[in-house]
Amino acid sequence: MKFSTKCVQAGYTPKNGEPRVVPIVQSTTFKYESSEQMGKLFDLEESGYFYTRLANPTCDAVAAKIAALEGGVGAMLTSSGQAASFYSVFNICSAGDHVVAASAIYGGTFNLFSVTMKKLGIDFTFVHPDADEETLNAAFKENTKAVFAETVSNPALIVLDIEKFAKVAHAHGVPLIVDNTFPTPVNLRPFEFGADIVVHSTTKYMDGHACALGGVVVDGGTFDWDAHAEKFPGLTTPDDSYHGLTYTKSFGKSAYITKCLVQLMRDLGSMQSPQNAFLLNLGLETLHLRVPRHCENATKVAQYLEANDKISWINYPSMPSSKYYDLAQKYMPNGTCGVICFGIKGGRAAATKFMDSLKLAAVVTHVADARTCVLHPASTTHRQLSDQQLVEAGVSPDLIRFSVGIEDADDIIADIEQALGNI
C-alpha cells in the first residue's frame, strides 16, 4: 500500500460481519475456557489477549498501523511520549550503563535523562547534534548502550544528521534511538537512514487535535543484538521471569519490542488506554492530509516573519536561510514540520507582549496541533534547565516556539501582524 493508504487502512482488517471502524475494546480482561490455555499465554507460548496492561486489540491495531507507517517490525503504545522515551532506553539499559544523547532535546526528556534516570544509575553524556564524528566518538564509554537524539529538535528545530549519528553508534556496537515526533513518518522515516528505534509523542501531530496523551516505541528490527550479545544480556540471555526464554532466539528481529512489551510494560504499566488509542487512530487517518498543510502554512508564516523588521532572527529548516536547510533537504525534501522558532527585537519583554496580544493563536503548553499555538520555552517547558544547558539545547532566552496550525494562512499571518503592532 502507498503511504496515504496505510494511514487509513493499515493495522486493522475487519472480517465478515465485524466492525468497519477499529472498535474500542474497553475491557481490562479477556475470558478463556481453560486455565491451561491461559497459562500458555502467560508463558508466551501462544499469542492472545488476557490483560490490557500487556495487550489490547484496539491498542494493537493502532500500534501496527504506526509500525507500518514507519517501516518497523513492531510497535508498542505508551501512555505518553515521556513514557515512550523512558521505555526505549530502559529496555536495553540498567544501573551502571551509559547513554550518549543529543543536548538539543525536549526539556522534559532532558530532565528524564539527567535527573530521574540518573537516580536509577544510568548515566548520560550530552553532545550537541552538530558535533563532528570525532567529538561524538569521544563521548562513548565502555558501558555505553545507546545513542538518543531528536530528528528535528524541540524547540530549537536543529535537524539531526541521522546517517552520521547512526554510523558512529553502530561503530561502537550500539543502536541509534530517535524521536521523530516533529517530522512524523509523513516527512521522514528514520529507519531508511540507519536509525534502529523510533519514538513519538503521539500527543502531537499523530493525534493532531490535542485530545489524547500518548506515545509509541517502534522497533526497526535492524539492529543485530546477538552480534553484541555481551552488551545486551537482557535480550540475549535467558529471562528468568519467562522460564528462561531468550528474546533474540524466540522472537528474532522483533526481540527488542517484544521484551519492551512483555517485560517492561508488564512490570511498569504505562499502557495507552483503548479510548486514547481509538482517538489516536482517528488522527492517523488524516495525518497524510494535515502534515502537508501544516508545512505549507508554516512556510508562508516563516516568509512573512523573515521580511518583518520587528523580528530579530528566525529558524525554519525548510527555508533556505536556515543553517539546517541542506540537511532538511537531504532527509525531508517534502517538508519538515509546522513549527517555527524566532526572536523579537526587544527581548523577553517584547516576546511576552507579542504572545499576550495574539487572538487566534493560543498560549498553551502544547505543540503540533491543528490549532495554531505559541509558547516561550525558556520560561515554561525548559525552565528547569540552567543557562548553560539552555545554550546547549539551542534555546535562547528570546526564543518563541510558534506551532502553525491548519487554519487559513492569511488569518494566522493577520493575527501575528496585529500582535506585532502592539510592540
Side-chain angles (χ1 to χ4, degrees):
M1 292 187 290
K2 301 292 187 182
F3 185 88
S4 56
T5 306
K6 290 179 182 178
C7 284
V8 181
Q9 295 276 4
Y12 175 70
T13 303
K15 298 176 183 177
N16 188 48
E18 291 185 342
R20 183 64 190 90
V21 176
V22 175
I24 304 173
V25 182
Q26 195 64 46
S27 179
T28 62
T29 53
F30 301 82
K31 178 184 178 295
Y32 287 89
E33 297 297 333
S34 72
S35 57
E36 180 183 0
Q37 188 176 9
M38 181 72 79
K40 289 181 179 180
L41 293 172
F42 270 94
D43 286 343
L44 306 183
E45 293 178 4
E46 291 185 5
S47 61
Y49 302 100
F50 55 93
Y51 199 60
T52 284
R53 188 175 75 240
L54 280 90
N56 174 281
T58 308
C59 296
D60 275 7
V62 181
K65 174 175 287 189
I66 296 174
L69 295 178
E70 283 287 10
V73 297
M76 179 185 78
L77 298 186
T78 62
S79 57
S80 68
Q82 283 289 85
S85 295
F86 172 75
Y87 279 117
S88 71
V89 174
F90 196 62
N91 195 37
I92 51 176
C93 292
S94 57
D97 287 338
H98 172 259
V99 177
V100 175
S103 59
I105 53 178
Y106 168 58
T109 309
F110 185 90
N111 290 329
L112 168 67
F113 291 166
S114 64
V115 179
T116 302
M117 294 190 75
K118 186 175 182 180
K119 294 178 181 178
L120 297 176
I122 301 171
D123 190 29
F124 288 78
T125 296
F126 294 94
V127 181
H128 197 280
D130 290 346
D132 57 25
E133 288 188 26
E134 182 180 358
T135 303
L136 284 175
N137 280 311
F140 283 78
K141 302 178 181 180
E142 288 187 5
N143 58 340
T144 302
K145 297 297 178 67
V147 177
F148 185 99
E150 293 179 357
T151 55
V152 176
S153 67
N154 177 12
L157 304 182
I158 296 172
V159 177
L160 184 74
D161 190 341
I162 302 171
E163 290 183 340
K164 177 177 70 176
F165 269 68
K167 175 185 176 182
V168 173
H170 296 159
H172 290 271
V174 302
L176 172 62
I177 305 170
V178 295
D179 183 328
N180 196 36
T181 297
F182 271 15
T184 81
V186 173
N187 287 336
L188 173 62
R189 286 174 287 283
F191 295 140
E192 297 175 4
F193 298 99
D196 302 291
I197 310 296
V198 169
V199 300
H200 288 266
S201 170
T202 62
T203 316
K204 309 305 189 298
Y205 285 122
M206 284 189 167
D207 168 80
H209 302 85
C211 291
L213 282 175
V216 68
V217 182
V218 188
D219 184 358
T222 54
F223 193 81
D224 190 345
W225 306 102
D226 280 324
H228 310 281
E230 73 286 352
K231 286 181 177 289
F232 307 104
L235 288 165
T236 61
T237 61
D239 181 352
D240 292 338
S241 68
Y242 282 108
H243 307 297
L245 173 149
T246 299
Y247 293 100
T248 53
K249 291 180 179 179
S250 296
F251 301 102
K253 290 185 176 182
S254 299
Y256 172 93
I257 200 65
T258 302
K259 176 181 179 292
C260 203
L261 178 64
V262 303
Q263 187 188 86
L264 295 192
M265 189 62 75
R266 175 197 66 187
D267 295 343
L268 299 174
S270 301
M271 173 57 71
Q272 189 171 134
S273 74
Q275 178 71 51
N276 278 21
F278 176 82
L279 293 171
L280 167 59
N281 187 60
L282 293 181
L284 290 171
E285 289 180 353
T286 60
L287 186 67
H288 62 294
L289 302 175
R290 291 183 289 105
V291 170
R293 178 58 178 261
H294 279 289
C295 295
E296 176 188 340
N297 280 358
T299 298
K300 293 178 181 178
V301 171
Q303 290 170 342
Y304 168 81
L305 291 170
E306 194 170 53
N308 195 295
D309 59 9
K310 292 186 178 181
I311 304 301
S312 56
W313 62 272
I314 178 173
N315 179 32
Y316 183 55
S318 294
M319 294 279 283
S321 58
S322 171
K323 66 178 290 188
Y324 298 104
Y325 178 74
D326 289 341
L327 276 177
Q329 289 300 298
K330 174 182 178 180
Y331 292 114
M332 296 163 281
N334 295 323
T336 51
C337 62
V339 182
I340 300 169
C341 58
F342 60 92
I344 295 177
K345 293 176 181 178
R348 183 172 294 200
T352 301
K353 181 67 174 177
F354 165 75
M355 290 190 293
D356 290 348
S357 299
L358 290 167
K359 297 177 180 179
L360 182 149
V363 180
V364 296
T365 310
H366 191 49
V367 69
D369 185 5
R371 292 162 286 268
T372 297
C373 52
V374 64
L375 197 69
H376 183 247
S379 60
T380 54
T381 57
H382 288 64
R383 69 179 299 124
Q384 289 85 6
L385 275 63
S386 66
D387 289 344
Q388 180 59 35
Q389 289 170 336
L390 284 171
V391 171
E392 293 172 355
V395 182
S396 59
D398 65 340
L399 185 151
I400 293 173
R401 184 183 73 184
F402 198 86
S403 180
V404 182
I406 57 175
E407 306 94 343
D408 191 290
D410 290 341
D411 290 334
I412 300 170
I413 292 171
D415 189 35
I416 295 172
E417 188 170 27
Q418 66 83 24
L420 288 173
N422 289 327
I423 301 174

